[in-house]
Amino acid sequence: MSPLRKKLIAGNWKMNKTSADGVALVQEIVAAAGKQTEVDVVVCPPFTALESVGRVLEGSGVRLGAQNVHPEASGAYTGEISVGMLRALFASYVILGHSERRSYFQESDSFINQKVIASLKGQLKPILCVGETLGQREAGETLRVVQTQLEAGLEGVGKDQIASVVIAYEPVWAIGTGKVATTEQAQQVHAFIRSLLTKSYGENAAEKVRILYGGSMKPANAPELLAQRDIDGGLIGGASLESRSFLELVAAASAVR
Ligand code: 13P
Protein backbone atom coordinates (compact mmCIF):
# COMPACT_ATOMS: atom_id res chain seq x y z
CA MET A 1 0.00 0.00 0.00
CA SER A 2 1.24 3.40 -0.77
CA PRO A 3 0.23 6.80 0.56
CA LEU A 4 0.72 8.06 -2.99
CA ARG A 5 -2.09 5.94 -4.35
CA LYS A 6 -5.70 6.08 -3.30
CA LYS A 7 -7.49 2.80 -3.92
CA LEU A 8 -9.87 2.78 -6.87
CA ILE A 9 -12.90 0.55 -7.33
CA ALA A 10 -14.34 0.72 -10.85
CA GLY A 11 -17.46 -1.07 -12.06
CA ASN A 12 -17.48 -2.22 -15.67
CA TRP A 13 -21.12 -2.91 -16.41
CA LYS A 14 -20.31 -4.22 -19.91
CA MET A 15 -23.48 -4.66 -22.03
CA ASN A 16 -25.85 -4.68 -19.07
CA LYS A 17 -28.51 -2.32 -17.70
CA THR A 18 -30.91 -0.01 -19.48
CA SER A 19 -30.76 3.65 -18.64
CA ALA A 20 -33.51 3.19 -16.01
CA ASP A 21 -31.84 0.13 -14.48
CA GLY A 22 -28.55 2.03 -14.31
CA VAL A 23 -30.18 4.96 -12.54
CA ALA A 24 -31.68 2.64 -9.93
CA LEU A 25 -28.30 1.00 -9.31
CA VAL A 26 -26.34 4.24 -8.92
CA GLN A 27 -28.98 5.75 -6.70
CA GLU A 28 -28.17 3.00 -4.21
CA ILE A 29 -24.42 3.43 -4.69
CA VAL A 30 -24.58 7.19 -4.23
CA ALA A 31 -26.81 6.88 -1.16
CA ALA A 32 -24.33 4.55 0.53
CA ALA A 33 -20.95 5.71 -0.76
CA GLY A 34 -21.49 9.05 -2.46
CA LYS A 35 -19.86 11.04 0.32
CA GLN A 36 -17.00 8.77 1.31
CA THR A 37 -13.56 9.99 0.25
CA GLU A 38 -11.31 7.10 1.26
CA VAL A 39 -11.67 5.22 -2.00
CA ASP A 40 -12.13 6.52 -5.54
CA VAL A 41 -15.27 4.97 -6.98
CA VAL A 42 -16.06 4.88 -10.70
CA VAL A 43 -19.01 3.37 -12.58
CA CYS A 44 -18.79 2.60 -16.29
CA PRO A 45 -22.27 2.11 -17.74
CA PRO A 46 -22.97 1.44 -21.42
CA PHE A 47 -23.11 4.58 -23.59
CA THR A 48 -26.91 4.68 -23.50
CA ALA A 49 -26.95 5.11 -19.71
CA LEU A 50 -24.08 7.59 -19.35
CA GLU A 51 -26.21 10.71 -19.33
CA SER A 52 -28.89 9.49 -16.93
CA VAL A 53 -26.39 7.87 -14.58
CA GLY A 54 -24.22 11.00 -14.72
CA ARG A 55 -27.14 13.08 -13.48
CA VAL A 56 -27.52 10.89 -10.42
CA LEU A 57 -23.79 11.16 -9.71
CA GLU A 58 -23.82 14.97 -9.75
CA GLY A 59 -22.64 16.37 -6.44
CA SER A 60 -21.40 12.98 -5.23
CA GLY A 61 -17.84 11.67 -5.14
CA VAL A 62 -18.62 8.81 -7.53
CA ARG A 63 -17.12 9.33 -10.97
CA LEU A 64 -18.43 8.39 -14.40
CA GLY A 65 -16.50 6.29 -16.91
CA ALA A 66 -17.17 4.97 -20.40
CA GLN A 67 -16.29 1.54 -21.76
CA ASN A 68 -14.73 2.65 -25.03
CA VAL A 69 -14.00 5.70 -27.18
CA HIS A 70 -12.92 6.45 -30.74
CA PRO A 71 -9.59 8.25 -31.22
CA GLU A 72 -10.87 10.76 -33.79
CA ALA A 73 -12.54 13.94 -32.58
CA SER A 74 -15.46 13.76 -35.04
CA GLY A 75 -16.37 12.61 -38.52
CA ALA A 76 -17.67 9.71 -40.54
CA TYR A 77 -17.27 6.88 -38.02
CA THR A 78 -20.72 5.34 -37.86
CA GLY A 79 -21.53 3.90 -34.47
CA GLU A 80 -18.60 5.51 -32.68
CA ILE A 81 -18.33 8.02 -29.82
CA SER A 82 -15.62 10.68 -29.34
CA VAL A 83 -13.70 11.90 -26.32
CA GLY A 84 -15.45 15.27 -26.57
CA MET A 85 -18.87 13.60 -26.48
CA LEU A 86 -17.93 11.75 -23.31
CA ARG A 87 -16.49 14.87 -21.70
CA ALA A 88 -19.73 16.70 -22.50
CA LEU A 89 -21.49 14.12 -20.31
CA PHE A 90 -18.89 14.69 -17.58
CA ALA A 91 -17.27 11.29 -17.94
CA SER A 92 -13.80 11.35 -16.46
CA TYR A 93 -12.55 7.81 -17.14
CA VAL A 94 -12.62 5.42 -20.07
CA ILE A 95 -11.85 1.69 -20.17
CA LEU A 96 -9.52 0.92 -23.09
CA GLY A 97 -8.13 -2.31 -24.46
CA HIS A 98 -10.44 -4.60 -22.55
CA SER A 99 -9.82 -8.21 -23.57
CA GLU A 100 -13.39 -8.47 -24.86
CA ARG A 101 -12.68 -5.63 -27.26
CA ARG A 102 -9.32 -7.12 -28.21
CA SER A 103 -10.80 -10.54 -28.97
CA TYR A 104 -14.35 -9.86 -30.24
CA PHE A 105 -13.61 -6.62 -32.10
CA GLN A 106 -10.02 -7.30 -33.14
CA GLU A 107 -8.67 -4.18 -31.46
CA SER A 108 -4.92 -3.96 -31.93
CA ASP A 109 -2.35 -2.52 -29.55
CA SER A 110 -1.73 0.39 -31.91
CA PHE A 111 -5.44 1.28 -32.18
CA ILE A 112 -5.73 1.08 -28.40
CA ASN A 113 -2.68 3.34 -28.15
CA GLN A 114 -4.38 5.95 -30.37
CA LYS A 115 -7.33 5.91 -27.99
CA VAL A 116 -5.06 6.32 -24.96
CA ILE A 117 -3.37 9.35 -26.53
CA ALA A 118 -6.67 10.94 -27.61
CA SER A 119 -8.20 10.36 -24.18
CA LEU A 120 -5.32 11.98 -22.33
CA LYS A 121 -5.38 14.93 -24.72
CA GLY A 122 -9.08 15.38 -23.94
CA GLN A 123 -8.68 15.08 -20.14
CA LEU A 124 -10.23 11.63 -19.99
CA LYS A 125 -8.33 9.19 -17.78
CA PRO A 126 -7.67 5.89 -19.55
CA ILE A 127 -8.04 2.60 -17.70
CA LEU A 128 -5.75 0.53 -19.92
CA CYS A 129 -6.42 -3.21 -19.65
CA VAL A 130 -3.75 -5.83 -20.18
CA GLY A 131 -3.71 -9.56 -19.55
CA GLU A 132 -2.85 -12.99 -20.86
CA THR A 133 -5.07 -15.85 -22.00
CA LEU A 134 -4.97 -19.25 -20.35
CA GLY A 135 -2.95 -20.65 -23.24
CA GLN A 136 -0.40 -17.87 -22.93
CA ARG A 137 -0.09 -18.41 -19.18
CA GLU A 138 0.38 -22.14 -19.63
CA ALA A 139 3.04 -21.48 -22.26
CA GLY A 140 4.93 -19.27 -19.80
CA GLU A 141 4.23 -16.14 -21.86
CA THR A 142 2.36 -14.08 -19.27
CA LEU A 143 5.00 -11.44 -18.64
CA ARG A 144 5.94 -11.11 -22.29
CA VAL A 145 2.28 -10.59 -23.29
CA VAL A 146 1.67 -8.08 -20.53
CA GLN A 147 4.86 -6.18 -21.39
CA THR A 148 3.94 -5.96 -25.09
CA GLN A 149 0.39 -4.75 -24.37
CA LEU A 150 1.57 -2.26 -21.78
CA GLU A 151 4.42 -0.76 -23.77
CA ALA A 152 2.46 -0.59 -27.02
CA GLY A 153 -0.59 0.84 -25.26
CA LEU A 154 1.47 3.57 -23.60
CA GLU A 155 3.62 4.55 -26.54
CA GLY A 156 3.98 8.33 -26.67
CA VAL A 157 2.52 8.87 -23.19
CA GLY A 158 4.72 11.43 -21.41
CA LYS A 159 6.11 11.47 -17.90
CA ASP A 160 3.76 14.32 -17.02
CA GLN A 161 0.76 12.25 -18.18
CA ILE A 162 1.39 8.83 -16.72
CA ALA A 163 -0.14 9.57 -13.30
CA SER A 164 -3.48 10.12 -15.08
CA VAL A 165 -3.36 6.62 -16.51
CA VAL A 166 -4.81 3.64 -14.65
CA ILE A 167 -3.63 0.15 -15.59
CA ALA A 168 -5.90 -2.86 -15.12
CA TYR A 169 -4.37 -6.31 -15.06
CA GLU A 170 -7.10 -8.69 -16.15
CA PRO A 171 -6.01 -12.27 -16.79
CA VAL A 172 -8.43 -13.33 -19.53
CA TRP A 173 -8.94 -16.76 -17.95
CA ALA A 174 -10.24 -15.13 -14.77
CA ILE A 175 -12.83 -12.86 -16.40
CA GLY A 176 -16.40 -13.96 -15.71
CA THR A 177 -15.22 -17.48 -14.96
CA GLY A 178 -15.22 -17.44 -11.18
CA LYS A 179 -11.52 -18.38 -11.38
CA VAL A 180 -9.61 -15.69 -9.62
CA ALA A 181 -5.84 -15.33 -9.88
CA THR A 182 -4.10 -16.22 -6.64
CA THR A 183 -2.81 -13.23 -4.72
CA GLU A 184 0.74 -14.35 -5.57
CA GLN A 185 -0.04 -14.58 -9.29
CA ALA A 186 -1.69 -11.18 -9.29
CA GLN A 187 0.92 -9.42 -7.15
CA GLN A 188 3.72 -10.85 -9.30
CA VAL A 189 2.26 -9.35 -12.48
CA HIS A 190 1.35 -6.07 -10.77
CA ALA A 191 4.91 -5.69 -9.46
CA PHE A 192 6.22 -6.50 -12.94
CA ILE A 193 3.97 -3.80 -14.45
CA ARG A 194 5.24 -1.29 -11.90
CA SER A 195 8.84 -2.24 -12.66
CA LEU A 196 8.21 -1.55 -16.35
CA LEU A 197 6.63 1.81 -15.50
CA THR A 198 9.64 2.61 -13.30
CA LYS A 199 11.99 1.86 -16.19
CA SER A 200 10.07 4.11 -18.57
CA TYR A 201 8.97 6.93 -16.29
CA GLY A 202 11.15 6.79 -13.18
CA GLU A 203 10.24 5.65 -9.70
CA ASN A 204 8.37 8.76 -8.57
CA ALA A 205 5.99 8.66 -11.48
CA ALA A 206 5.55 4.88 -11.40
CA GLU A 207 4.65 4.93 -7.72
CA LYS A 208 1.71 7.20 -8.50
CA VAL A 209 0.11 4.92 -11.10
CA ARG A 210 -2.80 2.81 -9.93
CA ILE A 211 -2.77 -0.80 -11.07
CA LEU A 212 -6.16 -2.49 -10.69
CA TYR A 213 -6.85 -6.20 -10.65
CA GLY A 214 -9.81 -7.50 -12.68
CA GLY A 215 -11.19 -11.01 -13.07
CA SER A 216 -13.84 -12.50 -10.80
CA MET A 217 -13.08 -10.05 -7.98
CA LYS A 218 -15.76 -10.50 -5.32
CA PRO A 219 -16.26 -9.37 -1.72
CA ALA A 220 -14.93 -12.77 -0.56
CA ASN A 221 -11.58 -12.59 -2.36
CA ALA A 222 -11.07 -8.83 -2.48
CA PRO A 223 -9.54 -8.17 0.95
CA GLU A 224 -6.57 -10.44 0.29
CA LEU A 225 -5.98 -9.11 -3.22
CA LEU A 226 -6.34 -5.48 -2.15
CA ALA A 227 -3.83 -5.94 0.66
CA GLN A 228 -1.02 -6.63 -1.84
CA ARG A 229 1.55 -3.89 -2.24
CA ASP A 230 0.96 -3.29 -5.92
CA ILE A 231 -2.78 -3.95 -6.16
CA ASP A 232 -4.43 -0.55 -5.98
CA GLY A 233 -8.03 -1.49 -6.56
CA GLY A 234 -10.30 -3.49 -8.79
CA LEU A 235 -12.01 -3.39 -12.15
CA ILE A 236 -15.19 -5.26 -11.40
CA GLY A 237 -17.54 -6.93 -13.86
CA GLY A 238 -20.24 -9.22 -12.45
CA ALA A 239 -20.06 -7.95 -8.87
CA SER A 240 -20.57 -4.34 -10.02
CA LEU A 241 -24.08 -5.04 -11.32
CA GLU A 242 -25.59 -5.21 -7.87
CA SER A 243 -25.21 -2.44 -5.31
CA ARG A 244 -24.64 -4.78 -2.39
CA SER A 245 -21.60 -6.57 -3.77
CA PHE A 246 -20.19 -3.40 -5.32
CA LEU A 247 -20.51 -1.51 -2.04
CA GLU A 248 -18.88 -4.40 -0.19
CA LEU A 249 -15.92 -4.06 -2.53
CA VAL A 250 -15.71 -0.33 -1.84
CA ALA A 251 -15.76 -1.13 1.87
CA ALA A 252 -13.05 -3.76 1.42
CA ALA A 253 -10.83 -1.23 -0.35
CA SER A 254 -11.48 1.30 2.36
CA ALA A 255 -10.51 -1.19 5.07
CA VAL A 256 -7.02 -1.84 3.67
CA ARG A 257 -6.24 1.77 2.92
P1 13P B 1 -15.76 -10.17 -13.86
O1 13P B 1 -15.58 -9.40 -12.58
O2 13P B 1 -17.17 -10.43 -14.21
O3 13P B 1 -14.87 -11.38 -13.92
O4 13P B 1 -15.23 -9.19 -15.04
C1 13P B 1 -14.00 -8.59 -14.92
C2 13P B 1 -13.84 -7.60 -16.02
O5 13P B 1 -13.72 -7.95 -17.17
C3 13P B 1 -13.86 -6.18 -15.66
O6 13P B 1 -13.49 -5.39 -16.72
Side-chain angles (χ1 to χ4, degrees):
M1 271 151 288
S2 162
L4 292 172
R5 302 190 296 272
K6 198 191 260 197
K7 289 262 194 284
L8 194 165
I9 296 292
N12 175 8
W13 296 3
K14 307 192 180 183
M15 196 171 73
N16 293 290
K17 309 266 178 212
T18 62
S19 173
D21 292 342
V23 164
L25 174 56
V26 284
Q27 278 169 341
E28 292 173 7
I29 294 170
V30 165
K35 294 284 174 238
Q36 66 79 37
T37 53
E38 297 186 341
V39 179
D40 284 342
V41 179
V42 179
V43 291
C44 304
F47 289 132
T48 46
L50 281 172
E51 185 163 16
S52 57
V53 163
R55 271 200 217 107
V56 180
L57 299 185
E58 252 174 63
S60 84
V62 179
R63 296 279 169 260
L64 187 64
Q67 297 175 21
N68 190 20
V69 75
H70 193 275
E72 295 298 331
S74 64
Y77 300 97
T78 302
E80 294 296 313
I81 308 270
S82 73
V83 171
M85 292 170 185
L86 295 177
R87 291 293 296 150
L89 296 179
F90 306 103
S92 41
Y93 289 85
V94 62
I95 298 170
L96 297 177
H98 193 281
S99 62
E100 288 149 17
R101 297 224 52 94
R102 291 177 190 267
S103 66
Y104 303 145
F105 305 98
Q106 288 80 44
E107 288 198 10
S108 67
D109 281 325
S110 71
F111 189 46
I112 294 161
N113 176 245
Q114 290 175 39
K115 299 178 187 212
V116 169
I117 298 294
S119 299
L120 286 168
K121 194 170 157 216
Q123 322 294 321
L124 207 51
K125 295 186 172 81
I127 302 176
L128 172 65
C129 304
V130 299
E132 81 288 0
T133 62
L134 185 58
Q136 289 165 334
R137 174 163 283 269
E138 286 174 350
E141 291 172 353
T142 297
L143 300 185
R144 184 190 62 73
V145 168
V146 166
Q147 178 164 6
T148 302
Q149 292 177 346
L150 186 83
E151 291 179 348
L154 293 179
E155 202 175 313
V157 172
K159 210 170 174 168
D160 54 327
Q161 295 176 305
I162 193 67
S164 301
V165 177
V166 176
I167 307 295
Y169 169 56
E170 299 208 319
V172 178
W173 48 271
I175 296 177
T177 58
K179 271 190 218 157
V180 66
T182 65
T183 48
E184 292 76 19
Q185 285 172 329
Q187 167 57 25
Q188 184 208 13
V189 178
H190 282 236
F192 175 68
I193 291 171
R194 199 172 312 283
S195 76
L196 294 174
L197 294 172
T198 303
K199 247 188 257 162
S200 302
Y201 298 99
E203 193 177 344
N204 281 351
E207 285 295 322
K208 290 189 189 131
V209 178
R210 278 155 332 164
I211 307 174
L212 312 182
Y213 171 80
S216 300
M217 196 187 247
K218 303 271 177 315
N221 57 38
E224 209 187 321
L225 286 161
L226 293 170
Q228 303 301 305
R229 190 203 174 281
D230 292 293
I231 302 184
D232 306 309
L235 183 55
I236 321 296
S240 74
L241 297 176
E242 216 205 301
S243 62
R244 202 175 122 174
S245 43
F246 189 64
L247 288 165
E248 282 176 18
L249 289 164
V250 173
S254 170
V256 292
R257 194 172 57 99

